């Protein structure tokens, strides 16, 4: 199972007009893994995620999900197949309650286990359960991040893409979010985690990739990267 490749990114290049944001990136994510993609501001991490989910056209290269190119498939179709992203900035439905937001996450499903899955999400995030009838727009940044993750889980992802889930949160909330990312992974969800918080992301990761100026400059298992002097100097302030 561990060698079953869910996501394969091959020679990916993405440009915004004349600006080459991603300049030829290769990596993969295998079933059951938590893979972290780290790098500084502007390294091209978000652009890479957008290309993976079909939100940004690929200029060159390919992305394969479950062995099939994502080209021309569209974000909706990919989500139906289990490729689900929690975008940077969360994107919750602010005028809907927490429960309604969670139900929106299940809109592609037709099975009878939706209510049971809401309870599972409430198990991961007791805070959401306490506030289930509250409008999402009135929640704190950390709570909205929890909601965005919960909503993505309601789609029963095969691969969950998380774009900077800890961004802008208080230290306590950052702890909580990484704890839940770990729980989600332990419950069997494959995760691609994009983070500027390199130490936390690599601590959790089976494998990691470092992106700099649109290319992958280092890769390895999480602990090895975490202990690498170059990574420590560039991303952990040592
Ligand atoms: P951050 O952590 O700040 O989100 P990142 O590693 O995710 O950084 P990207 O957001 O992918 O980086 O940005 C990569 C490069 O592409 C940057 O130079 C950025 O200015 C540029 N870029 C991103 N989005 C656009 C856009 N819509 N139009 C033009 N340039 C863009």
């Amino acid at each position: 199972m561990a060698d079953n490749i869910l996501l394969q990114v091959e020679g990916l290049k993405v440009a915004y007009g004349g600006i080459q944001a991603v300049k030829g990136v290769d990596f993969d994510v295998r079933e059951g893994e938590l893979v972290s993609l780290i790098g500084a501001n502007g390294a091209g991490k978000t652009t890479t995620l957008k290309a993976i989910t079909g939100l940004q056209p690929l200029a060159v290269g390919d992305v394969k999900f479950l062995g099939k190119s994502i080209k021309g498939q569209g974000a909706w179709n990919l989500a139906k197949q289990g490729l689900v992203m929690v975008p940077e900035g969360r994107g919750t439905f602010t005028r809907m309650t927490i429960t309604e937001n969670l139900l929106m996450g299940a809109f592609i499903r037709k099975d009878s286990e939706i209510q049971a899955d809401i309870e599972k999400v409430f198990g991961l995030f007791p805070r959401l359960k306490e506030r289930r009838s509250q409008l999402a727009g009135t929640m704190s940044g950390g709570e909205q991040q929890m909601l965005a993750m919960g909503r993505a889980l309601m789609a029963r992802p095969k691969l969950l893409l998380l774009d900077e889930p800890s961004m802008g949160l208080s230290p306590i909330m950052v702890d909580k979010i990484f704890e839940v990312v770990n729980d989600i992974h332990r419950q069997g969800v494959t995760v691609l985690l994009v983070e500027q918080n390199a130490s936390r992301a690599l601590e959790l990761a089976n494998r990691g990739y470092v992106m700099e100026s649109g290319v992958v400059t280092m890769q390895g298992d999480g602990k090895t990267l975490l202990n690498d002097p170059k990574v420590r100097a560039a991303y952990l302030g040592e």
Side-chain angles (χ1 to χ4, degrees):
M1 260 334 209
D3 290 321
N4 198 355
I5 295 179
L6 279 190
L7 182 78
Q8 181 117 43
V9 177
E10 301 168 335
L12 175 69
K13 294 187 183 175
V14 187
Y16 298 106
I19 299 168
Q20 195 74 45
V22 176
K23 301 173 185 164
V25 160
D26 295 90
F27 67 90
D28 57 59
V29 181
R30 296 164 205 164
E31 193 169 357
E33 283 190 311
L34 191 161
V35 172
S36 290
L37 185 58
I38 65 161
N41 243 321
K45 307 179 300 298
T46 298
T47 303
T48 300
L49 283 192
K50 285 185 180 163
I52 290 171
T53 48
L55 295 172
Q56 190 65 42
L58 320 180
V60 179
D62 204 358
V63 174
K64 291 189 182 121
F65 179 58
L66 298 171
K68 197 173 151 208
S69 174
I70 63 131
K71 279 185 187 162
Q73 290 208 56
W76 155 269
N77 194 29
L78 291 166
K80 267 203 314 203
Q81 293 171 60
L83 185 63
V84 179
M85 172 152 93
V86 179
E88 204 175 343
R90 351 280 188 215
T92 57
F93 299 105
T94 52
R95 288 163 177 253
M96 291 185 180
T97 66
I98 286 171
T99 304
E100 286 165 347
N101 266 274
L102 293 177
L103 285 170
M104 289 300 284
F107 74 112
I108 49 177
R109 292 171 49 185
K110 292 193 173 65
D111 59 87
S112 59
E113 293 168 24
I114 291 172
Q115 202 52 48
D117 280 3
I118 287 188
E119 289 307 322
K120 275 195 206 161
V121 169
F122 284 159
L124 277 171
F125 300 107
R127 182 76 65 93
L128 296 184
K129 185 171 187 174
E130 283 164 23
R131 300 181 175 215
R132 61 173 81 191
S133 305
Q134 188 172 325
L135 293 182
T138 63
M139 309 225 299
S140 74
E143 289 163 352
Q144 291 201 32
Q145 179 62 45
M146 292 178 183
L147 180 57
M149 286 165 66
R151 193 180 61 192
L153 290 174
M154 290 300 296
R156 292 203 165 170
K158 288 197 176 76
L159 175 61
L160 182 65
L161 309 175
L162 298 173
D163 194 3
E164 310 244 4
S166 78
M167 193 173 62
L169 303 183
S170 66
I172 290 175
M173 202 49 96
V174 169
D175 284 349
K176 177 69 196 163
I177 292 295
F178 280 110
E179 206 178 286
V180 177
V181 171
N182 196 27
D183 289 345
I184 290 170
H185 176 229
R186 283 171 184 274
Q187 288 178 13
V189 180
T190 307
V191 179
L192 175 60
L193 172 63
V194 162
E195 262 297 336
Q196 282 190 46
N197 189 332
S199 66
R200 301 300 294 269
L202 292 175
E203 268 167 26
L204 297 186
N206 300 111
R207 292 186 302 119
Y209 294 88
V210 180
M211 254 186 108
E212 283 170 37
S213 307
V215 295
V216 169
T217 51
M218 294 178 76
Q219 55 182 289
D221 67 72
K223 297 280 177 306
T224 308
L225 282 179
L226 190 59
N227 293 318
D228 187 284
K230 275 183 281 179
V231 173
R232 299 196 77 82
Y235 301 102
L236 305 175
E238 288 181 8

